Amino acid sequence: MNKESQLYKVFQNKLATRRWAEFKVHLQTLSTWLWKGILRSWPKAGKVLAILLIIGCAVVFPILVQNSLIYLKLYQKEITFQQEEKVQATKIKLEKDVSLLQRKLDAKIPKGNYLIINSASNEFTLFKGDQRIKKDKCSTGSYILLKNADEQEWMFKTPKGEFRIQGKTTSPVWKKPDWAFVEDGLPVPTINHESRFEYGVLGDYALSLGHGYLIHGTLYQRFLGLPVTHGCIRLGDENLELVYKSLSVGSKVYIF
Amino acid sequence: MSDLSNHETDQKQNINLRKNHLSRILIYSSALILAVYLISIGIAPLHKIGEIKKMVEADTVFIHQYDSINDHPEIISAIRKKVYTAALLKLSEMDSIQLIVNLHDSLVCLSINGVQIHKTPIQSIENDKLLKMIPNREYLNLFSGPIQIVGQNSTIVKEPIVVRQAPKDTIEASLNAYKPDTMIQNPAFLSLQLEHGLKLIFEQDIDSYPGAKKARRIFRIKLWLDKTIQSLINFVSLKKQEYIPTLVIKMPPDDLRAIYRALPANAFVVIYYD
């Protein structure tokens, strides 16, 4: 242990002793204050007590907390200084470890294009690696819980998490599910009834996320940026084309 | 006659003396109780650090492997960075959305499978004195991995669900056509209770929305009330006072809302600071 380290250790010890002394002085002051302030001025006790309660909450409490935290410093383990070379070697090793870990983390970021959907602000961001290609409005689930007389329920929310593009189609046809008829006050037709098929309502392209959730276009461009969908993600025409061309089957989509 | 009045006066004086005596005792004991209560609250951080130390010392593998060189001022920053990166790697193995609080770079991020899907700059930070002063060994053990969020409270709803009854026919459907959300939002304040008795509070910028100041006041009063009631209960039941190290972070309201709504129940958080 060199002279400088020894001096530092002595300094640390002195500092700790001084803090302990300061803490004791604070305690003494507090007890004197309590004794003089409360016990001897008992005729005005009601007022004193009320003031004490207020001061107790507003002043004494933080002081006590502060003092106990100063005392806490005494718990700090004494630093044992090693030789400077060991310190430098450890530092270099740590930096290497960090860069190795960072590389492992970076490997988790998709290399190709991927899409991030913010369902709270109804925005999407298209990325390539860590480079942002496009950020714009979209529409996500409305959080409407639709109930019918038969006690059936449908929740219109966009799922959150990591997804992959399962399939891509051009000029998609919407096969209306049951809730689309229930929502319009219409009787639910048979599973392949012609009234279930609607053309042109999903825009020029659709990308499937699985479980019936799609990224598609919309006729209601004015609602972009608002939570109005039945769980799917709606994009404007230009953005839909860009996303369709940028993402391939297997590309990742992150929704939060 | 005068004897009688003297006797009455003496009796009154005695009663007054007794009353004064009683009130003195009452005041002394109240003051004593109050002093004990305040002291018990004041030393609560000591109990907390004691608990943390005990928890760390119980981790024999960690203690055995711990090198005292980690306490060297030149090493502290580097070792904390390594612990943080390792914690991020552990977090990346979880397949739901998780939280990252990086006070070093003033960032709060959402992450899923190692991809940081949302980053928001921190506007201001109030770090707890205990967390700032915590010895490095305790820091490294406490923040070496993701910490579970065990409770969430907020001024906004997690899922803004609107219940609608299905219309009976097309006429009713056209009358009740859905009007989209106007995006008018309530002020957002969020409190996350973490493992190891830590707390994270997220507050929105109070100038962003009308009524945000009032909402923050109510939110803080509620937190303070909860804390005070709990400390009174602990005091009455002769339990140790709890000290909850708290980090208060301010950020834009839209980001706060997005983070709260994205976090699943029992999510994990990685915390990093120098």
Side-chain angles (χ1 to χ4, degrees):
Chain A
M1 192 181 287
N2 60 30
K3 200 179 171 186
E4 199 181 305
S5 308
Q6 277 177 335
L7 275 172
Y8 188 80
K9 199 179 166 186
V10 171
F11 171 74
Q12 282 286 86
N13 285 338
K14 275 187 180 172
L15 196 69
T17 321
R18 209 184 76 191
R19 285 202 179 108
W20 174 235
E22 277 175 4
F23 180 58
K24 280 201 289 190
V25 169
H26 281 304
L27 266 182
Q28 274 173 354
T29 319
L30 185 73
S31 56
T32 317
W33 180 81
L34 278 171
W35 175 254
K36 285 186 180 170
I38 304 165
L39 303 184
R40 294 208 179 150
S41 61
W42 67 269
K44 298 171 190 169
K47 284 179 194 171
V48 172
L49 201 64
I51 293 166
L52 191 74
L53 269 168
I54 297 161
I55 294 173
C57 293
V59 181
V60 181
F61 175 67
I63 291 170
L64 283 169
V65 171
Q66 214 169 13
N67 279 324
S68 28
L69 286 169
I70 290 165
Y71 179 64
L72 183 76
K73 271 276 179 186
L74 299 177
Y75 277 71
Q76 186 98 30
K77 198 185 163 196
E78 273 181 25
I79 297 163
T80 319
F81 285 94
Q82 311 290 321
Q83 287 176 344
E84 198 58 30
E85 291 126 48
K86 195 183 172 188
V87 171
Q88 288 309 319
T90 313
K91 215 173 158 187
I92 291 164
K93 190 186 174 295
L94 283 171
E95 278 163 10
K96 271 186 189 168
D97 289 351
V98 169
S99 66
L100 189 75
L101 289 167
Q102 193 58 52
R103 271 207 296 275
K104 282 185 187 173
L105 267 175
D106 291 343
K108 302 212 172 230
I109 300 170
K111 297 287 171 285
N113 295 329
Y114 62 99
L115 190 69
I116 295 178
I117 309 287
N118 181 342
S119 67
S121 64
N122 287 284
E123 283 175 326
F124 77 91
T125 317
L126 183 64
F127 278 93
K128 183 173 187 172
D130 53 2
Q131 198 188 340
R132 193 171 87 182
I133 299 172
K134 182 86 193 252
K135 183 177 181 176
D136 208 346
K137 286 176 184 175
C138 66
S139 282
T140 59
S142 62
Y143 279 102
I144 285 177
L145 177 67
L146 182 69
K147 291 180 174 181
N148 72 359
D150 300 334
E151 293 184 357
Q152 282 178 298
E153 286 184 359
W154 295 270
M155 179 70 170
F156 301 143
K157 81 172 183 185
T158 305
K160 294 183 172 96
E162 185 190 281
F163 300 85
R164 280 180 189 274
I165 300 291
Q166 309 276 324
K168 291 167 71 173
T169 47
T170 52
S171 307
V173 179
W174 185 35
K175 188 182 177 189
K176 288 167 80 175
D178 291 356
W179 53 254
F181 296 95
V182 174
E183 193 179 40
D184 289 341
L186 292 166
V188 178
T190 53
I191 197 142
N192 283 322
H193 191 270
E194 60 178 24
S195 64
R196 282 196 184 259
F197 299 93
E198 275 202 29
Y199 300 85
V201 292
L202 299 181
D204 294 335
Y205 309 97
L207 299 96
S208 168
L209 297 173
H211 302 287
Y213 293 102
L214 299 173
I215 299 172
H216 60 74
T218 178
L219 299 173
Y220 309 102
Q221 304 270 332
R222 66 186 186 280
F223 289 157
L224 286 169
L226 294 171
V228 291
T229 78
H230 297 91
C232 289
I233 295 150
R234 292 182 194 167
L235 300 177
D237 294 340
E238 278 178 31
N239 291 330
L240 181 65
E241 191 176 349
L242 176 70
V243 167
Y244 181 83
K245 286 177 178 167
S246 304
L247 301 185
S248 46
V249 173
S251 293
K252 287 187 177 174
V253 177
Y254 300 97
I255 307 173
F256 69 97
Chain B
M1 191 64 183
S2 67
D3 279 353
L4 195 68
S5 66
N6 280 342
H7 181 70
E8 271 179 10
T9 320
D10 283 350
Q11 256 188 336
K12 271 182 190 173
Q13 273 178 346
N14 276 342
I15 290 167
N16 279 341
L17 269 174
R18 224 176 289 158
K19 269 186 187 171
N20 283 340
H21 195 65
L22 263 174
S23 59
R24 259 193 212 186
I25 291 168
L26 201 72
I27 291 154
Y28 290 170
S29 43
S30 316
L32 190 73
I33 289 168
L34 187 67
V36 172
Y37 172 65
L38 290 174
I39 289 167
S40 72
I41 290 172
I43 60 168
L46 288 181
H47 289 307
K48 185 71 199 171
I49 192 74
E51 269 175 36
I52 294 172
K53 281 173 88 74
K54 227 184 248 178
M55 187 187 78
V56 173
E57 275 154 19
D59 189 347
T60 47
V61 179
F62 173 79
I63 293 290
H64 185 69
Q65 287 173 351
Y66 192 76
D67 190 342
S68 61
I69 202 157
N70 292 339
D71 295 329
H72 192 285
E74 279 186 46
I75 297 294
I76 288 176
S77 180
I79 187 83
R80 287 190 179 192
K81 173 88 179 165
K82 185 193 163 182
V83 159
Y84 166 65
T85 321
L88 285 185
L89 206 60
K90 282 183 201 166
L91 195 77
S92 71
E93 279 149 24
M94 298 166 179
D95 59 1
S96 55
I97 299 169
Q98 314 293 349
L99 186 65
I100 299 164
V101 176
N102 180 348
L103 303 187
H104 178 81
D105 300 325
S106 294
L107 282 174
V108 174
C109 310
L110 285 173
S111 160
I112 180 165
N113 294 335
V115 182
Q116 294 191 358
I117 53 175
H118 186 65
K119 283 183 192 173
T120 177
I122 295 173
Q123 289 172 333
S124 78
I125 307 160
E126 282 174 42
N127 197 354
D128 193 278
K129 282 183 179 172
L130 190 144
L131 289 179
K132 271 189 208 164
M133 291 170 154
I134 199 166
N136 197 41
R137 188 187 70 170
E138 277 67 22
Y139 172 97
L140 296 179
N141 186 274
L142 210 58
F143 301 113
S144 63
I147 302 171
Q148 195 169 19
I149 298 169
V150 291
Q152 305 181 13
N153 294 313
S154 179
T155 54
I156 55 165
V157 288
K158 191 97 173 162
E159 293 191 327
I161 295 168
V162 182
V163 180
R164 288 188 73 199
Q165 290 299 329
K168 289 185 191 80
D169 48 40
T170 48
I171 299 160
E172 199 183 313
S174 61
L175 287 173
N176 296 337
Y178 175 63
K179 286 170 193 154
D181 191 330
T182 54
M183 300 300 277
I184 295 171
Q185 306 278 13
N186 290 329
F189 296 92
L190 166 66
S191 157
L192 301 176
Q193 290 85 51
L194 313 180
E195 261 182 315
H196 314 306
L198 306 175
K199 190 180 265 187
L200 263 176
I201 291 177
F202 292 101
E203 293 189 343
Q204 73 161 62
D205 170 16
I206 53 166
D207 299 326
S208 309
Y209 288 102
K213 249 183 199 174
K214 192 182 166 194
R216 187 178 72 168
R217 215 175 297 135
I218 293 166
F219 178 72
R220 286 210 166 184
I221 288 171
K222 209 175 153 239
L223 287 178
W224 180 82
L225 266 179
D226 288 347
K227 199 166 88 175
T228 310
I229 290 166
Q230 189 54 49
S231 82
L232 283 170
I233 292 169
N234 287 343
F235 184 67
V236 170
S237 54
L238 301 175
K239 278 184 192 164
K240 263 191 229 170
Q241 290 294 351
E242 256 184 280
Y243 180 79
I244 302 170
T246 308
L247 258 171
V248 183
I249 291 166
K250 271 191 194 149
M251 61 168 66
D254 290 343
D255 291 318
L256 205 165
R257 205 167 283 115
I259 286 169
Y260 178 55
R261 293 200 170 144
L263 282 179
N266 303 321
F268 284 83
V269 57
V270 166
I271 300 173
Y272 169 47
Y273 62 90
D274 272 331

